[in-house]
Amino acid sequence: MLSAQQLATMLTLQDKMNKKVNPDWLNAGYGYLRAAMVESVEAIEHHGWKWWKAQHKDLPQLQMELVDIWHFALSACIIDFKGDISASAKSIAAQLASGDTTVTFDGKDYTASNQSLLDNLELMTGLCAAKRFNVPLFMTIVEQCDMSADELYRQYVGKNVLNFFRQDNGYKEGTYHKVWSGREDNEHLVEVMDALDLNKPEFSDLVYQGLNSRYPG
């Protein structure tokens, strides 16, 4: 289960990234759960659902879609609590602590822990279309995609910090170098994170510092 420290870090990073895009993002009316719905449909595609042809589940792509969905879900939660990061974290923690994976949708109860990954992805898509998000359902899907809570945190922080790093080093202006020393920044990111303690409160800051120390100035 995600720790209080991990939730606080992710929500804070999400708020900062959204402010970088638009300082008044809380009042902009962006459709974060619509975006999560679209990503959920893409996750279904990566899973494979066509019974009339051979398909293979692409687990790495599925995991990437879940990380993207989590970005949008955190944003929607922060909006629900009018920018209060602490209240947002407490709400998510309470949902996780309940352990209740039953979701009521259209008057029918669905127990995520008893459903297949594909059925749960479909349920999440429907909920997002109805402007709702269920954290226990999402975390059940995360587990079904062979991801731990720590791995979700790791991938989320890595992607968020890398996005910040790119922006701070001229990504928008076109002066950022995505390849250093013959390797893409994503590869450097993995090496930096592998050398760090995931449980340190300053994990995200250390990831940024690690990238900065490697980037050719």
Side-chain angles (χ1 to χ4, degrees), residues 122-134:
E122 188 175 71
L123 179 58
M124 181 168 65
T125 304
L127 283 172
C128 289
K131 303 292 187 289
R132 293 159 57 192
F133 194 84
N134 185 281

Side-chain angles (χ1 to χ4, degrees), residues 11-194:
L11 286 160
T12 299
L13 285 173
Q14 191 61 51
D15 183 44
K16 287 181 179 178
M17 177 52 70
N18 291 351
K19 283 176 178 173
K20 203 170 187 71
V21 174
N22 180 355
D24 193 34
W25 73 274
L26 284 169
N27 302 306
Y30 298 141
Y32 287 105
L33 291 184
R34 182 186 304 120
M37 176 194 69
V38 173
E39 299 289 351
S40 298
V41 172
E42 291 179 5
I44 289 173
E45 289 289 345
H46 290 308
H47 179 285
W49 59 275
K50 298 174 183 176
W51 59 89
W52 61 88
K53 62 182 288 189
Q55 290 188 299
H56 302 284
K57 182 167 61 178
D58 190 337
L59 203 54
Q61 285 296 322
L62 259 172
Q63 293 178 351
M64 287 177 62
E65 296 295 349
L66 293 180
V67 174
D68 288 341
I69 289 167
W70 193 230
H71 278 76
F72 297 128
L74 291 177
S75 298
C77 184
I78 296 170
I79 289 174
D80 285 344
F81 288 92
K82 297 179 173 55
D84 189 329
I85 300 299
S86 178
S88 301
K90 287 178 182 177
S91 172
I92 295 174
Q95 290 184 62
L96 291 173
S98 74
D100 185 7
T101 66
T102 301
V103 177
T104 302
F105 186 68
D106 258 2
K108 182 177 178 180
D109 289 339
Y110 300 85
T111 303
S113 56
N114 295 335
Q115 294 200 143
S116 69
L117 171 57
L118 185 57
D119 284 340
N120 280 334
L121 287 170
E122 188 175 71
L123 179 58
M124 181 168 65
T125 304
L127 283 172
C128 289
K131 303 292 187 289
R132 293 159 57 192
F133 194 84
N134 185 281
V135 175
L137 168 63
F138 176 77
M139 292 306 296
T140 299
I141 293 170
V142 167
E143 291 174 10
Q144 289 178 319
C145 287
D146 294 341
M147 286 180 83
S148 64
D150 279 349
E151 183 59 20
L152 173 66
Y153 174 71
R154 183 178 181 276
Q155 289 197 32
Y156 172 88
V157 171
K159 184 163 188 179
N160 194 294
V161 172
L162 182 58
N163 286 340
F164 266 108
F165 185 77
R166 286 171 172 173
Q167 291 296 328
D168 290 344
N169 286 278
Y171 197 70
K172 188 175 182 179
E173 295 79 15
T175 58
Y176 176 73
H177 301 290
K178 199 170 183 178
V179 177
W180 336 325
S181 306
R183 289 179 299 158
E184 286 197 3
D185 54 8
N186 283 301
E187 297 175 79
H188 289 284
L189 174 67
V190 170
E191 288 186 3
V192 167
M193 290 197 298
D194 283 348

